[in-house]
Amino acid sequence: MTRVWKWNRPVTVREVLEDLQKERSIAYTTVMTVMDNLHQKGWVRRESEGRAYRYEAVSTRAAYAAALMNEAWSRSDNAAAALVAFFGMMSEEQQQALQDAMRIVQLPQTPEADDGNAGTPADENPASRDESGGR
C-alpha cells in the first residue's frame, strides 16, 4: 500500500516491483499476489490495461491504518486491557496525537458524565493527577 500511496496514481505490478527491488530482492509473483490480496480485501481497485492491471488506492493511508487498528482491537477478548496495553506502548508524540484526536472527535457524553468526570470522584479521576500519582 505504501507504494500505491507514494505515487498517488494507478500503478502496475511491474512499477511496484521495480521500486521494491531498489531495496531488496523480491519476485514478481510475490508482488502480484500481494496486489491481488489488497484488491480482494477492497483496499485497491484495478482496471485492466492490456495484459496487466493498474491498481489504485480506494482509501487514504489514515483510513487504512484506522481499519487495521480496529480489526486488531476487535479480535481481543478484553478490549479495555488491549487499549491499556496499546496506550502503554505509545511514544509521547503518539500520546499527543491521541489527545488531539480525542479533542477533535469529542466522543458523545453519557448522561452521568454531565459533570465532566463521568461519575468518577475527583480523587479517582486519573486526569486530576500528575505523572507521580499525586495532584
Side-chain angles (χ1 to χ4, degrees), residues 5 43 60-79 82-83 85-87 89-90 94-95 97-98 101-102 105:
W5 287 313
W43 288 108
T60 65
R61 182 184 291 245
Y64 180 74
L68 289 176
M69 288 187 288
N70 187 53
E71 181 181 339
W73 185 40
S74 68
R75 292 181 182 187
S76 172
D77 60 349
N78 185 335
L83 284 173
F86 179 65
F87 295 156
M89 295 177 198
M90 292 178 137
Q94 290 168 324
Q95 290 173 10
L98 175 62
M102 293 298 290
V105 172

